[in-house]
């Protein structure tokens, strides 16, 4: 009897110990950072647990699954959307949201992630449905802003704040993509042709301008050279003229210089015929008188031994 009583007491003690452990486990809860827990007491909302250690009443309080308070990123599958010009485009969206009120996120909506997805799809179709394809492809910021405004307003009562909505991709039909690529290729070819023509035009203009400047500089150089040559000849003539006047030459010297110049007139292949001027006789008289009485014929013979009276070319 004593052994049976001792065994029953041991079983009771074990059961009591297990019960105490279960009570402690269900009573003590540790909430991690950036998490929140909703506590129900007898099936009714009682409080929201913040990060840290907390004590619950066993079998009376029930802790619901913890909610993540960090900003979450959800990527939704591509959605077919019809644009204003009746083209079906596939749009991928990414939504950034954060739970701000754990109580509302628990009791105001059954599945807030699914609700955000469906609301995003509906709003996206409404927004893109009022735009044509070109506007939809070039107005992503506008679409993102409209989506964020509508989603933030609708999810506010769910305890969720939508921070950003991004369009990952807008894929038009393949036939439209081919047409767009051809259009872009033609536009690039047109721009390249315009740039080439502009370059050729500028090159021709610069070449003509350079030639004009070169011609102007050449003409100016030739003009200055002619002026300098004329000035030099003028100065040489002036010096000769001054030297002659300073030397005070007489008639005999002038006649002699005149006769010395005549043979040079016959030089050159272009001279077909040259005639001795009539003034040569007067010059010969002066030379003859200067040589001591020799007649004009003798003086002429002495001076024109090497000068032909008439020179012709066959």
């Amino acid at each position: 009897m004593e052994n049976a009583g001792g065994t029953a007491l041991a079983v009771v003690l074990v059961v009591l110990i297990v019960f105490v452990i279960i009570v402690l486990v269900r009573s003590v809860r540790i909430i991690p950072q950036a998490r929140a827990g909703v506590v129900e007491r007898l099936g009714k909302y009682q409080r929201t647990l913040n990060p840290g250690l907390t004590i619950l009443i066993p079998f009376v309080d029930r802790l619901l699954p913890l909610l993540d308070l960090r900003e979450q990123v959800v990527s939704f599958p591509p959605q077919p959307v019809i644009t204003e010009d009746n083209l079906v485009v596939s749009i991928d969206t990414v939504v950034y949201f954060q739970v701000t009120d754990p109580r509302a996120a628990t009791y105001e909506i059954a599945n807030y992630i699914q609700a955000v997805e469906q609301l995003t799809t509906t709003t996206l179709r409404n927004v893109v449905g009022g735009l044509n394809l070109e506007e939809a492809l070039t107005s992503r910021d506008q679409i993102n802003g409209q989506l964020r405004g509508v989603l933030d307003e609708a999810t506010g009562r769910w305890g969720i704040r939508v921070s950003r909505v991004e369009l990952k991709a807008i894929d038009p039909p393949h036939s439209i993509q081919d047409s767009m690529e051809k259009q872009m290729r033609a536009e690039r070819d047109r721009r390249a042709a315009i740039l080439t023509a502009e370059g050729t035009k500028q090159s021709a203009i610069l070449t003509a301008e350079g030639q004009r400047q070169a011609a102007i500089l050449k003409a100016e150089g030739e003009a200055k050279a002619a002026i300098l040559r004329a000035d030099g000849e003028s100065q040489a003539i002036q010096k000769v003229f001054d030297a002659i006047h300073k030397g005070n030459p007489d008639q005999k010297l002038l006649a002699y210089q005149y006769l010395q110049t005549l043979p040079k007139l016959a030089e050159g292949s272009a001279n077909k015929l040259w005639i001795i001027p009539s003034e040569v006789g007067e010059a010969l008289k002066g030379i003859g008188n200067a040589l001591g009485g020799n007649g004009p014929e003798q003086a002429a013979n002495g001076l024109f031994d090497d000068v032909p009276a008439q020179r012709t070319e066959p």
Side-chain angles (χ1 to χ4, degrees):
M1 294 294 295
E2 292 180 358
N3 292 333
T7 303
L9 181 60
V11 171
V12 171
L13 290 176
V14 171
V15 171
L16 182 61
I17 292 173
V18 171
F19 178 76
V20 170
I21 293 174
I22 294 175
V23 169
L24 291 177
V25 170
R26 295 179 62 90
S27 299
V28 179
R29 289 288 187 272
I30 298 177
I31 308 299
Q33 185 67 33
R35 300 291 192 278
V38 174
V39 177
E40 291 181 348
R41 179 166 293 177
L42 300 177
K44 183 179 180 181
Y45 172 75
Q46 199 271 332
R47 60 193 172 106
T48 299
L49 300 181
N50 295 320
L53 179 65
T54 185
I55 303 298
L56 300 179
I57 299 176
F59 307 106
V60 177
D61 295 339
R62 184 170 71 95
L63 179 63
L64 300 181
L66 300 180
L67 297 176
D68 195 342
L69 301 181
R70 296 173 296 179
E71 185 174 12
Q72 303 181 45
V73 182
V74 179
S75 178
F76 301 130
Q79 299 294 329
V81 180
I82 301 176
T83 61
E84 187 180 16
D85 46 358
N86 296 325
L87 293 175
V88 180
V89 296
S90 180
I91 301 179
D92 295 349
T93 55
V94 179
V95 179
Y96 298 81
F97 67 93
Q98 185 178 13
V99 176
T100 57
D101 187 354
R103 180 180 179 279
T106 302
Y107 296 107
E108 297 295 335
I109 188 71
N111 188 339
Y112 57 83
I113 295 180
Q114 184 179 2
V116 169
E117 178 182 0
Q118 296 301 322
L119 183 60
T120 301
T121 302
T122 304
T123 306
L124 184 62
R125 289 175 178 172
N126 292 335
V127 173
V128 178
L131 303 174
N132 56 37
L133 179 60
E134 185 176 357
E135 292 175 347
L137 293 175
T138 58
S139 304
R140 292 195 177 190
D141 292 338
Q142 178 182 354
I143 297 174
N144 294 339
Q146 294 182 6
L147 287 176
R148 190 184 66 81
V150 173
L151 290 175
D152 195 21
E153 181 180 359
T155 58
R157 61 187 182 88
W158 300 341
I160 298 174
R161 181 179 64 84
V162 177
S163 58
R164 285 187 300 169
V165 179
E166 298 290 342
L167 301 182
K168 288 198 305 183
I170 300 178
D171 299 327
H174 294 290
S175 59
I176 302 299
Q177 291 183 9
D178 295 338
S179 300
M180 293 174 62
E181 291 178 358
K182 292 179 180 179
Q183 182 180 1
M184 293 175 62
R185 191 179 302 111
E187 181 67 19
R188 287 194 296 267
D189 294 340
R190 184 183 68 85
R191 292 180 180 178
I194 291 175
L195 292 176
T196 302
E198 288 290 337
T200 304
K201 175 183 175 182
Q202 292 295 330
S203 177
I205 291 174
L206 293 176
T207 302
E209 183 67 20
Q211 293 176 353
R212 186 179 71 86
Q213 293 291 337
I216 291 174
L217 294 175
K218 182 179 179 181
E220 291 178 352
E222 292 177 352
K224 292 181 179 179
I227 292 173
L228 292 175
R229 285 195 299 269
D231 290 341
E233 293 176 358
S234 175
Q235 293 178 7
I237 293 172
Q238 186 66 36
K239 288 183 178 181
V240 172
F241 183 78
D242 293 340
I244 292 173
H245 280 277
K246 289 181 180 180
N248 193 15
D250 53 5
Q251 185 67 24
K252 299 176 181 180
L253 179 59
L254 294 176
Y256 180 76
Q257 291 295 329
Y258 181 76
L259 292 175
Q260 291 292 329
T261 307
L262 289 178
K264 296 182 179 179
L265 298 176
E267 295 179 357
S269 60
N271 295 324
K272 303 297 183 181
L273 176 66
W274 64 278
I275 302 172
I276 299 175
S278 60
E279 292 83 358
V280 174
E282 297 295 332
L284 291 177
K285 292 180 181 180
I287 296 298
N289 295 329
L291 295 176
N294 292 332
E297 294 81 358
Q298 296 177 355
N301 292 331
L303 291 173
F304 291 95
D305 290 338
D306 298 330
V307 180
Q310 183 175 357
R311 179 175 171 229
T312 60
E313 290 183 359

